[in-house]
Amino acid sequence: MQAIALTELVDEILAGPAPLPLVRAGDPVLRRPTPRYEGELGDERLDRLVRAMREALHAAPGVGLAAPQVGVPLRLAVVEDPAEVPPETAEARGRVPLPFRVLVNPSYTPVGDGAAAFFEGCLSVPGWQAVTARHGTIRLRGQDERGNTVDEELSGWPARIVQHETDHLDGTLYLDIAETRSLSTTQDVLERWAQPTPELAARELGFTLPRVRAR
Ligand code: NI
């Protein structure tokens, strides 16, 4: 996208309702791989977009939001997870607090062959969750919002969040790789499948815990 059209689009979105309305599954913007961010917005406009995305993330509430989910086709996402879950659940899922951060041009590669399968949802697919296998540990590469190089390893829930948000930037939704027999309403996940691991759900719904799918 040309810089001028992109800045106009972002200005238009930022001038609209707050918190930013979220794009839902069915909108092609969620299915197009995003172009890399090369500074087109300038620091001040980027900061305003990031603040608006964080506000939308808190309002949802959620733990990650990719730019296409607010209608902006850019390789940019925000993540933040206070990890307020029971200790047993946190332990089983590797769910540790992930302080707010901005992912610019993120990409990831698996580290080792560890995998973890848990219920996962998406703000663009409200009301539903499904068991999704993710790499247990990843190497995240990209930049932060000031262009500083990021190259680090993440495990557990933070690794899951980063994989989910980075996949958004490639036009992939978690449902593309989820075990569809596990698909449950959020209500059912809360009432039936809130155990630390999805083994009971697997038995009752008739699926085997999925492995990471190549993509
Ligand atoms: Ni999502």
Side-chain angles (χ1 to χ4, degrees):
M1 182 177 283
Q2 290 187 339
I4 184 76
L6 183 65
T7 56
E8 279 172 6
L9 172 67
V10 169
D11 286 345
E12 194 176 301
I13 286 170
L14 291 174
L20 299 178
L22 301 186
V23 171
R24 299 287 164 83
D27 188 319
V29 73
L30 292 176
R31 292 312 199 168
R32 295 186 192 118
T34 49
R36 287 175 57 83
Y37 179 63
E38 304 288 1
E40 297 90 336
L41 299 181
D43 284 352
E44 190 270 337
R45 190 184 279 103
L46 176 66
D47 285 346
R48 282 192 289 127
L49 175 61
V50 163
R51 276 200 301 275
M53 287 175 65
R54 189 181 189 189
E55 181 190 20
L57 181 66
H58 288 171
V63 295
L65 191 64
Q69 292 181 278
V70 295
V72 177
L74 262 192
R75 203 160 180 84
L76 171 78
V78 297
V79 296
E80 181 174 21
D81 182 14
E84 285 160 355
V85 294
E88 199 183 320
T89 300
E91 171 74 26
R93 300 179 187 178
R95 191 158 179 181
V96 294
L98 176 62
F100 178 78
R101 63 187 293 179
V102 183
L103 308 177
V104 176
N105 300 324
S107 65
Y108 66 84
T109 50
V111 176
D113 54 9
F118 293 104
F119 275 100
E120 181 173 316
C122 178
L123 297 175
S124 292
V125 190
W128 298 93
Q129 294 190 32
V131 173
T132 307
R134 297 285 185 186
H135 301 295
T137 301
I138 57 164
R139 181 175 178 184
L140 164 66
R141 276 178 274 203
Q143 292 98 46
D144 68 11
E145 65 274 36
R146 285 294 165 266
N148 300 307
T149 298
V150 170
D151 184 348
E152 64 186 88
E153 283 190 11
L154 294 168
S155 295
W157 214 258
R160 173 173 297 270
I161 295 169
V162 165
Q163 289 171 79
H164 179 117
E165 299 313 323
T166 303
D167 285 0
H168 268 299
L169 304 177
D170 293 324
T172 297
L173 297 178
Y174 84 98
L175 283 172
D176 300 342
I177 58 167
E179 166 53 58
T180 45
R181 281 191 72 105
S182 70
L183 186 67
S184 301
T185 64
T186 301
Q187 176 107 349
D188 276 305
V189 172
L190 289 172
E191 291 176 2
R192 301 171 190 272
W193 316 130
Q195 304 83 21
T197 69
E199 278 151 21
L200 178 63
R203 281 201 301 278
E204 296 289 323
L205 297 176
F207 62 91
T208 51
L209 288 176
R211 302 176 65 80
V212 180
R213 261 191 233 174
R215 57 186 182 276

PDB file of all heavy atoms in Angstrom, residues 64-66 69 120-125 164-165 168 172-174, ligand 1:
ATOM      1  N   GLY A  64      -4.165 -10.073  22.814  1.00  0.00           N
ATOM      2  CA  GLY A  64      -3.392  -9.711  21.639  1.00  0.00           C
ATOM      3  C   GLY A  64      -4.308  -9.156  20.569  1.00  0.00           C
ATOM      4  O   GLY A  64      -5.487  -9.536  20.494  1.00  0.00           O
ATOM      5  N   LEU A  65      -3.785  -8.244  19.765  1.00  0.00           N
ATOM      6  CA  LEU A  65      -4.573  -7.647  18.685  1.00  0.00           C
ATOM      7  C   LEU A  65      -3.630  -7.299  17.537  1.00  0.00           C
ATOM      8  O   LEU A  65      -2.608  -6.629  17.745  1.00  0.00           O
ATOM      9  CB  LEU A  65      -5.278  -6.384  19.208  1.00  0.00           C
ATOM     10  CG  LEU A  65      -6.345  -5.762  18.322  1.00  0.00           C
ATOM     11  CD1 LEU A  65      -7.527  -6.704  18.121  1.00  0.00           C
ATOM     12  CD2 LEU A  65      -6.821  -4.446  18.932  1.00  0.00           C
ATOM     13  N   ALA A  66      -3.977  -7.780  16.355  1.00  0.00           N
ATOM     14  CA  ALA A  66      -3.165  -7.513  15.170  1.00  0.00           C
ATOM     15  C   ALA A  66      -3.808  -6.379  14.368  1.00  0.00           C
ATOM     16  O   ALA A  66      -5.037  -6.230  14.371  1.00  0.00           O
ATOM     17  CB  ALA A  66      -3.073  -8.780  14.315  1.00  0.00           C
ATOM     18  N   GLN A  69      -7.006  -6.552  12.437  1.00  0.00           N
ATOM     19  CA  GLN A  69      -8.240  -6.668  13.221  1.00  0.00           C
ATOM     20  C   GLN A  69      -8.884  -5.313  13.508  1.00  0.00           C
ATOM     21  O   GLN A  69     -10.023  -5.269  13.980  1.00  0.00           O
ATOM     22  CB  GLN A  69      -7.970  -7.402  14.546  1.00  0.00           C
ATOM     23  CG  GLN A  69      -7.608  -8.871  14.346  1.00  0.00           C
ATOM     24  CD  GLN A  69      -7.376  -9.551  15.682  1.00  0.00           C
ATOM     25  OE1 GLN A  69      -6.291  -9.450  16.253  1.00  0.00           O
ATOM     26  NE2 GLN A  69      -8.390 -10.228  16.196  1.00  0.00           N
ATOM     27  N   GLU A 120      -8.247 -22.018  22.639  1.00  0.00           N
ATOM     28  CA  GLU A 120      -7.780 -20.702  22.220  1.00  0.00           C
ATOM     29  C   GLU A 120      -8.942 -20.003  21.534  1.00  0.00           C
ATOM     30  O   GLU A 120      -9.783 -20.669  20.912  1.00  0.00           O
ATOM     31  CB  GLU A 120      -6.603 -20.916  21.243  1.00  0.00           C
ATOM     32  CG  GLU A 120      -5.968 -19.663  20.724  1.00  0.00           C
ATOM     33  CD  GLU A 120      -4.699 -19.980  19.897  1.00  0.00           C
ATOM     34  OE1 GLU A 120      -3.875 -20.823  20.314  1.00  0.00           O
ATOM     35  OE2 GLU A 120      -4.555 -19.376  18.831  1.00  0.00           O
ATOM     36  N   GLY A 121      -9.004 -18.703  21.652  1.00  0.00           N
ATOM     37  CA  GLY A 121     -10.054 -17.942  20.982  1.00  0.00           C
ATOM     38  C   GLY A 121      -9.453 -16.763  20.248  1.00  0.00           C
ATOM     39  O   GLY A 121      -8.236 -16.566  20.248  1.00  0.00           O
ATOM     40  N   CYS A 122     -10.327 -15.983  19.605  1.00  0.00           N
ATOM     41  CA  CYS A 122      -9.864 -14.843  18.809  1.00  0.00           C
ATOM     42  C   CYS A 122     -10.932 -13.763  18.852  1.00  0.00           C
ATOM     43  O   CYS A 122     -12.119 -14.065  18.702  1.00  0.00           O
ATOM     44  CB  CYS A 122      -9.626 -15.294  17.361  1.00  0.00           C
ATOM     45  SG  CYS A 122      -9.110 -13.952  16.268  1.00  0.00           S
ATOM     46  N   LEU A 123     -10.518 -12.518  19.033  1.00  0.00           N
ATOM     47  CA  LEU A 123     -11.477 -11.413  19.102  1.00  0.00           C
ATOM     48  C   LEU A 123     -12.217 -11.220  17.780  1.00  0.00           C
ATOM     49  O   LEU A 123     -13.276 -10.607  17.773  1.00  0.00           O
ATOM     50  CB  LEU A 123     -10.759 -10.117  19.497  1.00  0.00           C
ATOM     51  CG  LEU A 123     -10.106 -10.134  20.889  1.00  0.00           C
ATOM     52  CD1 LEU A 123      -9.334  -8.842  21.123  1.00  0.00           C
ATOM     53  CD2 LEU A 123     -11.155 -10.355  21.973  1.00  0.00           C
ATOM     54  N   SER A 124     -11.690 -11.769  16.694  1.00  0.00           N
ATOM     55  CA  SER A 124     -12.371 -11.670  15.411  1.00  0.00           C
ATOM     56  C   SER A 124     -13.326 -12.834  15.167  1.00  0.00           C
ATOM     57  O   SER A 124     -14.007 -12.878  14.134  1.00  0.00           O
ATOM     58  CB  SER A 124     -11.352 -11.581  14.268  1.00  0.00           C
ATOM     59  OG  SER A 124     -10.663 -10.349  14.341  1.00  0.00           O
ATOM     60  N   VAL A 125     -13.359 -13.776  16.102  1.00  0.00           N
ATOM     61  CA  VAL A 125     -14.286 -14.920  16.024  1.00  0.00           C
ATOM     62  C   VAL A 125     -14.972 -15.017  17.391  1.00  0.00           C
ATOM     63  O   VAL A 125     -14.773 -15.972  18.138  1.00  0.00           O
ATOM     64  CB  VAL A 125     -13.549 -16.240  15.703  1.00  0.00           C
ATOM     65  CG1 VAL A 125     -14.539 -17.361  15.388  1.00  0.00           C
ATOM     66  CG2 VAL A 125     -12.574 -16.058  14.536  1.00  0.00           C
ATOM     67  N   HIS A 164      -0.213 -16.704  17.565  1.00  0.00           N
ATOM     68  CA  HIS A 164      -1.564 -16.340  17.116  1.00  0.00           C
ATOM     69  C   HIS A 164      -1.546 -14.987  16.390  1.00  0.00           C
ATOM     70  O   HIS A 164      -2.117 -14.854  15.294  1.00  0.00           O
ATOM     71  CB  HIS A 164      -2.498 -16.311  18.344  1.00  0.00           C
ATOM     72  CG  HIS A 164      -3.912 -15.938  18.045  1.00  0.00           C
ATOM     73  ND1 HIS A 164      -4.971 -16.799  18.247  1.00  0.00           N
ATOM     74  CD2 HIS A 164      -4.458 -14.797  17.563  1.00  0.00           C
ATOM     75  CE1 HIS A 164      -6.100 -16.189  17.899  1.00  0.00           C
ATOM     76  NE2 HIS A 164      -5.808 -14.978  17.484  1.00  0.00           N
ATOM     77  N   GLU A 165      -0.900 -13.996  17.003  1.00  0.00           N
ATOM     78  CA  GLU A 165      -0.909 -12.648  16.409  1.00  0.00           C
ATOM     79  C   GLU A 165      -0.068 -12.596  15.131  1.00  0.00           C
ATOM     80  O   GLU A 165      -0.461 -11.946  14.158  1.00  0.00           O
ATOM     81  CB  GLU A 165      -0.409 -11.600  17.414  1.00  0.00           C
ATOM     82  CG  GLU A 165      -1.252 -11.483  18.679  1.00  0.00           C
ATOM     83  CD  GLU A 165      -2.749 -11.416  18.428  1.00  0.00           C
ATOM     84  OE1 GLU A 165      -3.178 -10.790  17.428  1.00  0.00           O
ATOM     85  OE2 GLU A 165      -3.510 -11.993  19.232  1.00  0.00           O
ATOM     86  N   HIS A 168      -2.020 -13.973  12.300  1.00  0.00           N
ATOM     87  CA  HIS A 168      -2.970 -12.985  11.753  1.00  0.00           C
ATOM     88  C   HIS A 168      -2.316 -12.182  10.635  1.00  0.00           C
ATOM     89  O   HIS A 168      -2.956 -11.855   9.631  1.00  0.00           O
ATOM     90  CB  HIS A 168      -3.389 -11.988  12.849  1.00  0.00           C
ATOM     91  CG  HIS A 168      -4.625 -12.361  13.600  1.00  0.00           C
ATOM     92  ND1 HIS A 168      -5.848 -12.504  12.991  1.00  0.00           N
ATOM     93  CD2 HIS A 168      -4.845 -12.596  14.916  1.00  0.00           C
ATOM     94  CE1 HIS A 168      -6.769 -12.815  13.897  1.00  0.00           C
ATOM     95  NE2 HIS A 168      -6.180 -12.889  15.084  1.00  0.00           N
ATOM     96  N   THR A 172      -3.800 -15.813   8.487  1.00  0.00           N
ATOM     97  CA  THR A 172      -4.234 -17.089   9.062  1.00  0.00           C
ATOM     98  C   THR A 172      -4.999 -16.857  10.359  1.00  0.00           C
ATOM     99  O   THR A 172      -4.549 -16.090  11.218  1.00  0.00           O
ATOM    100  CB  THR A 172      -2.994 -17.973   9.349  1.00  0.00           C
ATOM    101  OG1 THR A 172      -2.340 -18.252   8.109  1.00  0.00           O
ATOM    102  CG2 THR A 172      -3.375 -19.286  10.019  1.00  0.00           C
ATOM    103  N   LEU A 173      -6.146 -17.505  10.487  1.00  0.00           N
ATOM    104  CA  LEU A 173      -6.895 -17.484  11.743  1.00  0.00           C
ATOM    105  C   LEU A 173      -6.644 -18.786  12.489  1.00  0.00           C
ATOM    106  O   LEU A 173      -6.382 -19.820  11.864  1.00  0.00           O
ATOM    107  CB  LEU A 173      -8.395 -17.324  11.485  1.00  0.00           C
ATOM    108  CG  LEU A 173      -8.827 -16.020  10.809  1.00  0.00           C
ATOM    109  CD1 LEU A 173     -10.343 -16.025  10.576  1.00  0.00           C
ATOM    110  CD2 LEU A 173      -8.427 -14.808  11.640  1.00  0.00           C
ATOM    111  N   TYR A 174      -6.790 -18.760  13.823  1.00  0.00           N
ATOM    112  CA  TYR A 174      -6.521 -19.976  14.599  1.00  0.00           C
ATOM    113  C   TYR A 174      -7.404 -21.131  14.141  1.00  0.00           C
ATOM    114  O   TYR A 174      -6.998 -22.296  14.209  1.00  0.00           O
ATOM    115  CB  TYR A 174      -6.676 -19.706  16.108  1.00  0.00           C
ATOM    116  CG  TYR A 174      -8.084 -19.795  16.620  1.00  0.00           C
ATOM    117  CD1 TYR A 174      -8.552 -20.947  17.249  1.00  0.00           C
ATOM    118  CD2 TYR A 174      -8.976 -18.738  16.460  1.00  0.00           C
ATOM    119  CE1 TYR A 174      -9.858 -21.046  17.703  1.00  0.00           C
ATOM    120  CE2 TYR A 174     -10.278 -18.830  16.915  1.00  0.00           C
ATOM    121  CZ  TYR A 174     -10.714 -19.990  17.538  1.00  0.00           C
ATOM    122  OH  TYR A 174     -12.017 -20.083  17.983  1.00  0.00           O
TER     123      TYR A 174
HETATM  124 NI    NI B   1      -7.021 -13.374  16.923  1.00  0.00          NI
END
